[in-house]
Amino acid sequence: MDTTVTSRRNSTKRIVVAALAAALVVALFPTQPAAADDTFANLAVGGGDVHEFGSAAFQGSLADVDLAAPVVAMAAHPDGNGYWLLTKDGGVHSFGDAAHHGDPSDVTLAAPVVDIAPTPSGDGYWLVGSDGGVFAYGDARFHGSAGDIALAAPVKAITPTPDGGGYWLAASDGGVFAYGNAAFHGSAGNIALAAPVVDMLATAGGGGYWLFGGDGGVFAFGDAPFHGSATAHITGGVDLAGAAIATGGGGYYLAASNGAVFAFGTAVYEGGIGASAAEPVADIASTAGGYWLVTTLGSPYRDTPVPANSGSGRRIVYSNSDQRVWLIEADESITATYLISGRRDTPAPGHYEVFSKSRWATAGHDGITMEYMVRFAKGRRLAIGFHSIPTYSDGRPMQSEEQLGTYRSSGCVRQRLDQAQFLYNWAPVGTRVVVLP
């Protein structure tokens, strides 16, 4: 999973790219209207870009890498000369002197991975999933997890003790779980939060910690002093993306999804970016005298609710009457939803599972081909699956992207190419598929 990017783009150019991401998407896909179903406008670009500030040196990014899952977190090597980027599927990407020690990207996860924390030496790291499961690599030691607990809310962050002999997990409802030599200093689990908790940091001595809410609110416990919050600034659809500790632990940085950075205590403001909803900031990581921001693939159009009686767990839900699919994680969060073109009443409503996948497939006549075939049901002559809009031998598509959402197929489920690629990477063989009337 190691990825090394040797070419370094000019920082100013990267800022312009991030600020104009939405405009670039329109230019790249002029026939696709700006509709609320444009969940993945361009999967191969957008997200994974790293922006450096102050003394933080650029070590590479995932900006030009075709990712199977979006970036969710970033962690700096303790020496400040490297960093790790974490993707939702558990992939760990290493840059600078941050070495790759392993990851669960080749494992069928029970829940998406949400955070990464390095060991004090930098020779290992912990990953945590939204279900509270903890993965330890390198010199990181496993001290326990919340994976076998019936959580009231998903886990959002992990932060270690100064000596690596323990760690804390923070859930979105403000709950805190302590393991190893990590002492419990309190939680926000009994507080009516204005927004879910999205991150957690420990003090330099480990005698306390902060919880950070999605609205920029800050909760201090133990010997963690309150330095201020960003609730007055994070408004209007903007969320807190992440937090990072200042050198010496005397302050912290808060980064918003729109690229704004707020410095408190001894943290020194070095700048921010103008990030759009198409490529928002995912996280911030700090080093002595500076910090990095990393962007992720935007997801502003995931608000269509999942239909009732659509099952549970990690699955694909296909509503025939709505001509729409949902990709749903084990914690019931929606990774994607978009319009498709299938055939009325085909296949019959019920529970299926992915049994076969092919990068390319053919219809067996007229030179018709399709990409990213994911088969989940048996048809009269051929298997029924999810795939891209088919093309004739001369390259002409059998329908336009604007016609998605209407019945156009003779049996299979047609998707826009980038969405078909995303589903193909997201759904291994065995993935459940729920077909609704």
Side-chain angles (χ1 to χ4, degrees):
M1 294 295 296
D2 287 6
T3 304
T4 303
V5 179
T6 56
S7 61
R8 185 183 189 280
R9 287 169 294 161
N10 180 271
S11 178
T12 302
K13 289 183 180 179
R14 291 202 310 279
I15 294 173
V16 172
V17 169
L20 299 178
L24 287 173
V25 165
V26 173
L28 288 168
F29 295 90
T31 61
Q32 180 68 15
D37 297 301
D38 190 14
T39 305
F40 298 101
N42 186 2
L43 187 65
V45 299
D49 204 352
V50 174
H51 304 263
E52 73 279 9
F53 299 89
S55 62
F58 179 78
Q59 304 288 352
S61 78
L62 296 173
D64 300 316
V65 178
D66 188 1
L67 297 172
V71 172
V72 293
M74 181 180 196
H77 191 283
D79 68 7
N81 295 319
Y83 42 76
W84 295 273
L85 301 183
L86 176 69
T87 52
K88 191 174 183 178
D89 61 352
V92 175
H93 305 260
S94 306
F95 300 89
D97 62 3
H100 185 266
H101 300 288
D103 64 47
S105 59
D106 58 348
V107 177
T108 300
L109 298 170
V113 175
V114 295
D115 200 14
I116 179 172
T119 60
S121 68
D123 293 329
Y125 42 74
W126 295 274
L127 309 180
V128 66
S130 63
D131 63 349
V134 175
F135 305 86
Y137 298 94
D139 66 356
R141 296 294 173 260
F142 178 79
H143 301 293
S145 79
D148 56 354
I149 298 174
L151 297 173
V155 168
K156 289 293 185 179
I158 182 171
T159 189
T161 58
D163 64 359
Y167 43 72
W168 296 272
L169 307 182
S172 64
D173 63 353
V176 173
F177 305 87
Y179 299 93
N181 64 1
F184 179 78
H185 300 291
S187 78
N190 60 349
I191 300 174
L193 300 175
V197 168
V198 298
D199 209 349
M200 180 184 196
L201 294 174
T203 59
Y209 43 74
W210 298 273
L211 300 180
F212 303 92
D215 61 348
V218 178
F219 304 88
F221 300 93
D223 65 1
F226 177 78
H227 297 295
S229 73
T231 53
H233 307 285
I234 299 181
T235 60
V238 177
D239 298 310
L240 183 72
I245 198 76
T247 303
Y252 43 75
Y253 300 96
L254 302 184
S257 58
N258 66 355
V261 175
F262 307 94
F264 299 93
T266 58
V268 178
Y269 176 76
E270 300 287 355
I273 65 173
S276 72
E279 191 177 349
V281 167
D283 203 2
I284 182 173
S286 61
T287 185
Y291 48 83
W292 299 271
L293 299 177
V294 63
T295 64
T296 188
L297 187 67
S299 55
Y301 308 120
R302 298 181 187 172
D303 297 330
T304 304
V306 182
N309 302 316
S310 64
S312 62
R314 194 175 191 276
R315 67 199 185 279
I316 300 169
V317 174
Y318 168 32
S319 172
N320 187 270
S321 58
D322 293 329
Q323 286 296 279
R324 176 180 287 275
V325 299
W326 291 260
L327 308 187
I328 305 173
E329 302 292 351
D331 63 357
E332 297 301 315
S333 63
I334 301 174
T335 284
T337 178
Y338 48 85
L339 295 175
I340 50 79
S341 283
R343 180 177 181 176
R344 189 185 300 275
D345 301 325
T346 302
H351 290 250
Y352 303 83
E353 70 175 39
V354 174
F355 64 84
S356 174
K357 296 168 60 173
S358 298
R359 176 64 179 81
W360 293 92
T362 66
H365 60 86
D366 300 319
I368 297 172
T369 60
M370 60 281 290
E371 298 185 57
Y372 302 108
M373 169 65 81
V374 178
R375 303 173 185 87
F376 67 93
K378 304 291 186 179
R380 291 183 178 179
R381 292 184 299 128
L382 299 172
I384 295 173
F386 301 98
H387 57 67
S388 66
I389 294 173
T391 58
Y392 294 105
S393 58
D394 60 3
R396 289 182 298 114
M398 295 185 69
Q399 70 173 81
S400 68
E401 294 175 356
E402 290 83 356
Q403 291 171 328
L404 291 170
T406 62
Y407 295 111
R408 295 276 169 176
S409 172
S410 59
C412 283
V413 183
R414 300 174 181 176
Q415 308 161 98
R416 207 174 67 201
L417 180 61
D418 56 311
Q419 293 165 341
Q421 180 187 13
F422 189 89
L423 185 147
Y424 183 89
N425 290 325
W426 185 87
V429 170
T431 300
R432 284 179 290 172
V433 179
V434 180
V435 177
L436 303 176

PDB file of all heavy atoms in Angstrom, residues 425-437:
ATOM      1  N   ASN A 425     -15.092  -1.578  -6.661  1.00  0.00           N
ATOM      2  CA  ASN A 425     -14.034  -1.624  -5.657  1.00  0.00           C
ATOM      3  C   ASN A 425     -14.593  -1.796  -4.244  1.00  0.00           C
ATOM      4  O   ASN A 425     -13.951  -2.382  -3.373  1.00  0.00           O
ATOM      5  CB  ASN A 425     -13.192  -0.351  -5.720  1.00  0.00           C
ATOM      6  CG  ASN A 425     -12.342  -0.278  -6.968  1.00  0.00           C
ATOM      7  OD1 ASN A 425     -11.859  -1.291  -7.454  1.00  0.00           O
ATOM      8  ND2 ASN A 425     -12.166   0.913  -7.508  1.00  0.00           N
ATOM      9  N   TRP A 426     -15.800  -1.273  -4.030  1.00  0.00           N
ATOM     10  CA  TRP A 426     -16.391  -1.269  -2.686  1.00  0.00           C
ATOM     11  C   TRP A 426     -16.985  -2.621  -2.308  1.00  0.00           C
ATOM     12  O   TRP A 426     -17.017  -2.976  -1.123  1.00  0.00           O
ATOM     13  CB  TRP A 426     -17.468  -0.184  -2.630  1.00  0.00           C
ATOM     14  CG  TRP A 426     -18.099   0.033  -1.296  1.00  0.00           C
ATOM     15  CD1 TRP A 426     -17.661   0.853  -0.296  1.00  0.00           C
ATOM     16  CD2 TRP A 426     -19.316  -0.567  -0.809  1.00  0.00           C
ATOM     17  NE1 TRP A 426     -18.512   0.804   0.776  1.00  0.00           N
ATOM     18  CE2 TRP A 426     -19.543  -0.059   0.500  1.00  0.00           C
ATOM     19  CE3 TRP A 426     -20.227  -1.475  -1.338  1.00  0.00           C
ATOM     20  CZ2 TRP A 426     -20.638  -0.432   1.261  1.00  0.00           C
ATOM     21  CZ3 TRP A 426     -21.319  -1.855  -0.576  1.00  0.00           C
ATOM     22  CH2 TRP A 426     -21.524  -1.341   0.708  1.00  0.00           C
ATOM     23  N   ALA A 427     -17.460  -3.379  -3.291  1.00  0.00           N
ATOM     24  CA  ALA A 427     -18.233  -4.592  -3.022  1.00  0.00           C
ATOM     25  C   ALA A 427     -17.472  -5.857  -3.387  1.00  0.00           C
ATOM     26  O   ALA A 427     -17.462  -6.279  -4.548  1.00  0.00           O
ATOM     27  CB  ALA A 427     -19.556  -4.546  -3.786  1.00  0.00           C
ATOM     28  N   PRO A 428     -16.840  -6.517  -2.425  1.00  0.00           N
ATOM     29  CA  PRO A 428     -16.194  -7.798  -2.719  1.00  0.00           C
ATOM     30  C   PRO A 428     -17.229  -8.896  -2.915  1.00  0.00           C
ATOM     31  O   PRO A 428     -18.417  -8.723  -2.579  1.00  0.00           O
ATOM     32  CB  PRO A 428     -15.347  -8.057  -1.475  1.00  0.00           C
ATOM     33  CG  PRO A 428     -16.088  -7.350  -0.380  1.00  0.00           C
ATOM     34  CD  PRO A 428     -16.669  -6.120  -1.015  1.00  0.00           C
ATOM     35  N   VAL A 429     -16.799 -10.019  -3.456  1.00  0.00           N
ATOM     36  CA  VAL A 429     -17.689 -11.177  -3.588  1.00  0.00           C
ATOM     37  C   VAL A 429     -18.209 -11.537  -2.199  1.00  0.00           C
ATOM     38  O   VAL A 429     -17.454 -11.585  -1.224  1.00  0.00           O
ATOM     39  CB  VAL A 429     -16.938 -12.377  -4.218  1.00  0.00           C
ATOM     40  CG1 VAL A 429     -17.784 -13.637  -4.138  1.00  0.00           C
ATOM     41  CG2 VAL A 429     -16.584 -12.065  -5.668  1.00  0.00           C
ATOM     42  N   GLY A 430     -19.505 -11.773  -2.108  1.00  0.00           N
ATOM     43  CA  GLY A 430     -20.139 -12.066  -0.837  1.00  0.00           C
ATOM     44  C   GLY A 430     -20.908 -10.898  -0.256  1.00  0.00           C
ATOM     45  O   GLY A 430     -21.663 -11.065   0.713  1.00  0.00           O
ATOM     46  N   THR A 431     -20.724  -9.693  -0.825  1.00  0.00           N
ATOM     47  CA  THR A 431     -21.465  -8.521  -0.347  1.00  0.00           C
ATOM     48  C   THR A 431     -22.962  -8.719  -0.528  1.00  0.00           C
ATOM     49  O   THR A 431     -23.422  -9.161  -1.581  1.00  0.00           O
ATOM     50  CB  THR A 431     -21.023  -7.259  -1.111  1.00  0.00           C
ATOM     51  OG1 THR A 431     -19.628  -7.046  -0.897  1.00  0.00           O
ATOM     52  CG2 THR A 431     -21.794  -6.033  -0.631  1.00  0.00           C
ATOM     53  N   ARG A 432     -23.726  -8.399   0.495  1.00  0.00           N
ATOM     54  CA  ARG A 432     -25.175  -8.556   0.422  1.00  0.00           C
ATOM     55  C   ARG A 432     -25.804  -7.499  -0.484  1.00  0.00           C
ATOM     56  O   ARG A 432     -25.364  -6.341  -0.494  1.00  0.00           O
ATOM     57  CB  ARG A 432     -25.801  -8.458   1.821  1.00  0.00           C
ATOM     58  CG  ARG A 432     -25.621  -9.693   2.660  1.00  0.00           C
ATOM     59  CD  ARG A 432     -26.232  -9.500   4.010  1.00  0.00           C
ATOM     60  NE  ARG A 432     -25.489  -8.560   4.808  1.00  0.00           N
ATOM     61  CZ  ARG A 432     -25.891  -8.086   5.981  1.00  0.00           C
ATOM     62  NH1 ARG A 432     -27.058  -8.442   6.476  1.00  0.00           N
ATOM     63  NH2 ARG A 432     -25.125  -7.257   6.666  1.00  0.00           N
ATOM     64  N   VAL A 433     -26.828  -7.909  -1.217  1.00  0.00           N
ATOM     65  CA  VAL A 433     -27.590  -6.998  -2.078  1.00  0.00           C
ATOM     66  C   VAL A 433     -29.066  -7.179  -1.732  1.00  0.00           C
ATOM     67  O   VAL A 433     -29.596  -8.281  -1.769  1.00  0.00           O
ATOM     68  CB  VAL A 433     -27.372  -7.303  -3.571  1.00  0.00           C
ATOM     69  CG1 VAL A 433     -28.192  -6.350  -4.429  1.00  0.00           C
ATOM     70  CG2 VAL A 433     -25.888  -7.220  -3.924  1.00  0.00           C
ATOM     71  N   VAL A 434     -29.716  -6.085  -1.362  1.00  0.00           N
ATOM     72  CA  VAL A 434     -31.143  -6.118  -1.043  1.00  0.00           C
ATOM     73  C   VAL A 434     -31.893  -5.413  -2.152  1.00  0.00           C
ATOM     74  O   VAL A 434     -31.662  -4.214  -2.402  1.00  0.00           O
ATOM     75  CB  VAL A 434     -31.422  -5.427   0.315  1.00  0.00           C
ATOM     76  CG1 VAL A 434     -32.931  -5.469   0.618  1.00  0.00           C
ATOM     77  CG2 VAL A 434     -30.633  -6.088   1.424  1.00  0.00           C
ATOM     78  N   VAL A 435     -32.761  -6.142  -2.851  1.00  0.00           N
ATOM     79  CA  VAL A 435     -33.564  -5.575  -3.926  1.00  0.00           C
ATOM     80  C   VAL A 435     -34.963  -5.294  -3.398  1.00  0.00           C
ATOM     81  O   VAL A 435     -35.633  -6.181  -2.874  1.00  0.00           O
ATOM     82  CB  VAL A 435     -33.626  -6.516  -5.141  1.00  0.00           C
ATOM     83  CG1 VAL A 435     -34.526  -5.929  -6.232  1.00  0.00           C
ATOM     84  CG2 VAL A 435     -32.225  -6.782  -5.690  1.00  0.00           C
ATOM     85  N   LEU A 436     -35.383  -4.044  -3.515  1.00  0.00           N
ATOM     86  CA  LEU A 436     -36.709  -3.631  -3.075  1.00  0.00           C
ATOM     87  C   LEU A 436     -37.617  -3.417  -4.284  1.00  0.00           C
ATOM     88  O   LEU A 436     -37.143  -3.127  -5.383  1.00  0.00           O
ATOM     89  CB  LEU A 436     -36.606  -2.338  -2.261  1.00  0.00           C
ATOM     90  CG  LEU A 436     -35.700  -2.383  -1.032  1.00  0.00           C
ATOM     91  CD1 LEU A 436     -35.625  -1.001  -0.379  1.00  0.00           C
ATOM     92  CD2 LEU A 436     -36.175  -3.414  -0.032  1.00  0.00           C
ATOM     93  N   PRO A 437     -38.939  -3.558  -4.101  1.00  0.00           N
ATOM     94  CA  PRO A 437     -39.875  -3.352  -5.228  1.00  0.00           C
ATOM     95  C   PRO A 437     -39.736  -1.956  -5.818  1.00  0.00           C
ATOM     96  O   PRO A 437     -39.326  -1.025  -5.127  1.00  0.00           O
ATOM     97  CB  PRO A 437     -41.249  -3.541  -4.580  1.00  0.00           C
ATOM     98  CG  PRO A 437     -40.990  -4.322  -3.334  1.00  0.00           C
ATOM     99  CD  PRO A 437     -39.629  -3.908  -2.860  1.00  0.00           C
TER     100      PRO A 437
END
